[in-house]
Amino acid sequence: MYPLTPLKLFAHESIKDDPLSRARMERIIGGTRPVDDELVWVDNSNMPEVVEQLKSLWPPDEVPEGFERTHMRPLVFTRVYTDGEFPELNKDLLGWPDGTDEATVRSILGHFLPIQAYHSYEKDAKEDMVCWPTFDFGLMTNCPHGCHYCGAGKHGKYLTIACNAEEHMEKVVRPAMERYPWQRCFRMIGWGAEMLAFEPEAGIFDLFTKTLAEQDRYGYFHAASSNVDFVADLERKDRLVGIFSVTTEMIAEVLEPGSGHAFDRFEAGRKLGEMGVPFRYKFKPTIPVVNWREEYSRAIEYALTVSEPESVGFCVIMWNTVDSLLEKIDEELLDPVYLQAARDAAEEMAGVRVGPYPHEVRKEVYRFMFREVRKHSDDVKLYMSTESRAMWDDIGEETGQDASSFFCGCSSVAPPGGRVQLSQGCPYSTYRAPEHIEKD
Ligand code: SF4
């Protein structure tokens, strides 16, 4: 696992009497180099005090030589709540002061969702998004990478790790696979998290791949990490597909401070290939930085020289306005011509999900990327991730794929092999809304 250097370690008392959770926590702690190695047990009596500490511990004023600031976030170990609705919290009854932050309390108690639905046809029709409906699983929140363009990465004050993975498989993962027979592939992704950072100590992908095998399904890790050596020892790695969020050297170095060199992920792809595990690349977000053409063409060349992914996709940075983008990324890092185009289009793009870059700018970026990929591979599948219908209508053909049934990265119906396996519950991508759903 990553050699994290957490400022402090906390564990909810519910772990104490659960031997499997406790063993998982101890394995993970054994893989870290904590600044303060005393484990603080949290119960109702010290909850407000711990919540206050979590508010202020990270970021530290000073980072010792050889440490990475973003790897110093405190770790909170808990058990994710798997019994349906979260219980009410009566702070008065518990004697907690008024200001005790409920979101932090709920994280410590493991009150975050163990499964979430994304990209329903209804939602994607409303938001004009082309993707695939899916149910995803998670046992962690927040991430040690600290990516500037990601809220959880940049601002998350601590990482929460749910240790009851066996219970999660039993009560959440297996029942979901039974309930949704149409879904062929499931993501174990966490929420704004980097779950690979904790392997093999966490042992979550061992359990997950075994559960997938039992249910005759496939599963994804979704990572901006190159920590894949553990995959070689997974008994059921034949059920795993690796999805890598990839980027350029400059972006990894400046905007993803805790994630390692950009090309390490392509080397990780190569290693998976040698293990016989399929993998796919997703340049998400694709950021029009200064010199973006040179940056991306170097990354694409490296990716396709050292490894053979099943697909390569792109998503020009979206979900932003010009102002919110500039809060995350320094203006001098961005291509000035494209930034000006975004500024000029600010009115047109107000409230538009794919903003701030207007259609023509995004289109030019995609076309460049497609050409670069095709210089090195004639047959790798190309795709755009979570783009608008208009973009698929305009340049979808250039991917060589059908907008309704394209093979991408983490689709719910894309088992290994480069072909989607459409099913009755998922007959096509969200490019097409089923007849009963209004687009507007
Ligand atoms: S890779 Fe495919 S399924 Fe995954 S987010 Fe992108 S469009 Fe959606």
Side-chain angles (χ1 to χ4, degrees):
M1 64 176 270
Y2 286 18
L4 299 175
T5 49
L7 287 160
K8 220 162 171 52
L9 303 165
F10 299 93
H12 186 247
E13 60 163 354
S14 62
I15 288 186
K16 263 190 187 156
D17 300 323
D18 173 356
L20 288 171
S21 291
R22 194 163 179 159
R24 177 163 290 106
M25 173 181 80
E26 283 166 3
R27 288 198 303 273
I28 293 173
I29 291 176
T32 65
R33 288 184 292 129
V35 174
D36 173 353
D37 62 6
E38 187 205 346
L39 175 66
V40 178
W41 287 99
V42 191
D43 58 24
N44 287 346
S45 66
N46 63 347
M47 182 70 80
E49 190 188 308
V50 169
V51 168
E52 280 311 300
Q53 284 189 56
L54 286 172
K55 218 194 271 178
S56 57
L57 275 166
W58 192 91
D61 294 335
E62 283 181 23
V63 177
E65 180 93 17
F67 281 52
E68 169 57 64
R69 184 184 298 269
T70 185
H71 287 178
M72 295 177 76
R73 290 177 165 91
L75 301 183
V76 176
F77 296 93
T78 187
R79 300 170 81 253
V80 71
Y81 195 77
T82 56
D83 291 336
E85 289 208 359
F86 305 138
E88 294 263 320
L89 289 178
N90 189 331
K91 289 188 204 161
D92 291 342
L93 216 62
L94 292 161
W96 296 344
D98 261 358
T100 309
D101 179 57
E102 186 167 331
T104 310
V105 171
R106 290 205 179 269
S107 290
I108 297 169
L109 294 173
H111 292 180
F112 54 87
L113 293 170
I115 177 170
Q116 293 199 54
Y118 288 102
H119 300 290
S120 65
Y121 288 109
E122 292 87 343
K123 197 154 185 283
D124 276 14
K126 271 199 195 88
E127 295 185 4
D128 188 18
M129 193 169 344
V130 179
C131 188
W132 291 89
T134 186
F135 288 90
D136 294 344
F137 304 117
L139 281 160
M140 297 182 187
T141 69
N142 290 355
C143 174
H145 288 160
C147 300
H148 289 212
Y149 48 76
C150 163
K154 197 166 182 184
H155 303 294
K157 295 260 179 195
Y158 55 91
L159 313 184
T160 313
I161 301 148
C163 294
N164 52 333
E166 287 79 4
E167 182 188 345
H168 183 249
M169 295 298 148
E170 204 52 52
K171 290 188 169 170
V172 178
V173 174
R174 191 170 293 119
M177 289 179 185
E178 285 163 1
R179 203 173 314 129
Y180 309 116
W182 58 267
Q183 183 161 344
R184 304 308 306 156
C185 309
F186 290 82
R187 291 194 296 190
M188 177 61 77
I189 186 168
W191 320 125
E194 176 53 80
M195 294 190 62
L196 280 204
F198 297 90
E199 294 291 337
E201 283 80 352
I204 290 169
F205 284 89
D206 181 43
L207 291 173
F208 184 47
T209 46
K210 285 177 177 158
T211 311
L212 289 159
E214 248 175 49
Q215 300 289 323
D216 189 20
R217 307 299 235 295
Y218 293 90
Y220 303 124
F221 69 67
H222 195 285
S225 167
S226 55
N227 184 33
V228 298
D229 290 352
F230 76 96
V231 173
D233 297 323
L234 294 181
E235 214 176 294
R236 296 312 308 256
K237 58 179 170 294
D238 57 308
R239 291 284 151 180
L240 191 65
V241 178
I243 310 296
F244 292 99
S245 272
V246 293
T247 191
T248 74
E249 290 166 283
M250 184 284 266
I251 294 175
E253 191 184 331
V254 180
L255 299 177
E256 300 182 354
S259 73
H261 192 282
F263 292 2
D264 291 351
R265 283 168 250 173
F266 303 131
E267 291 293 340
R270 180 184 58 75
K271 286 185 192 170
L272 287 187
E274 286 168 4
M275 295 175 206
V277 174
F279 57 96
R280 303 165 192 167
Y281 294 139
K282 179 149 70 161
F283 285 88
K284 187 172 184 176
T286 305
I287 308 175
V289 288
V290 172
N291 290 334
W292 63 270
R293 290 176 188 80
E294 292 80 358
E295 282 278 326
Y296 279 94
S297 94
R298 218 170 30 244
I300 291 167
E301 179 181 10
Y302 194 94
L304 296 174
T305 305
V306 301
S307 64
E308 282 185 51
E310 287 193 329
S311 64
V312 181
F314 301 91
C315 173
V316 174
I317 192 161
M318 50 178 68
W319 285 291
N320 275 285
T321 60
V322 172
D323 287 346
S324 71
L325 184 68
L326 292 178
E327 276 165 24
K328 294 169 185 140
I329 302 178
D330 287 344
E331 181 164 348
E332 59 268 26
L333 294 175
L334 295 170
D335 181 305
V337 176
Y338 282 60
L339 183 59
Q340 189 56 47
R343 285 191 162 119
D344 294 344
E347 208 173 311
E348 169 203 334
M349 299 305 286
V352 178
R353 184 190 55 82
V354 289
Y357 291 103
H359 183 98
E360 290 305 316
V361 164
R362 302 196 319 281
K363 171 173 154 179
E364 191 184 327
V365 174
Y366 292 127
R367 282 193 149 152
F368 176 84
M369 301 298 169
F370 297 165
R371 282 197 302 273
E372 289 303 303
V373 170
R374 285 291 171 245
K375 280 184 189 167
H376 308 286
S377 170
D378 291 333
D379 49 11
V380 68
K381 292 278 190 298
L382 275 172
Y383 65 96
M384 294 175 284
S385 181
T386 58
E387 255 298 340
S388 65
R389 283 179 191 78
M391 191 60 79
W392 274 95
D393 290 340
D394 198 1
I395 57 166
E397 254 186 19
E398 294 173 35
T399 66
Q401 299 215 68
D402 179 343
S404 299
S405 59
F406 61 99
F407 183 93
C408 55
C410 47
S411 159
S412 48
V413 289
R419 290 173 71 88
V420 283
Q421 202 178 96
L422 301 173
S423 62
Q424 217 173 16
C426 188
Y428 31 70
S429 77
T430 60
Y431 174 78
R432 283 172 62 185
E435 275 57 50
H436 66 282
I437 294 170
E438 297 294 328
K439 284 197 183 182
D440 299 312

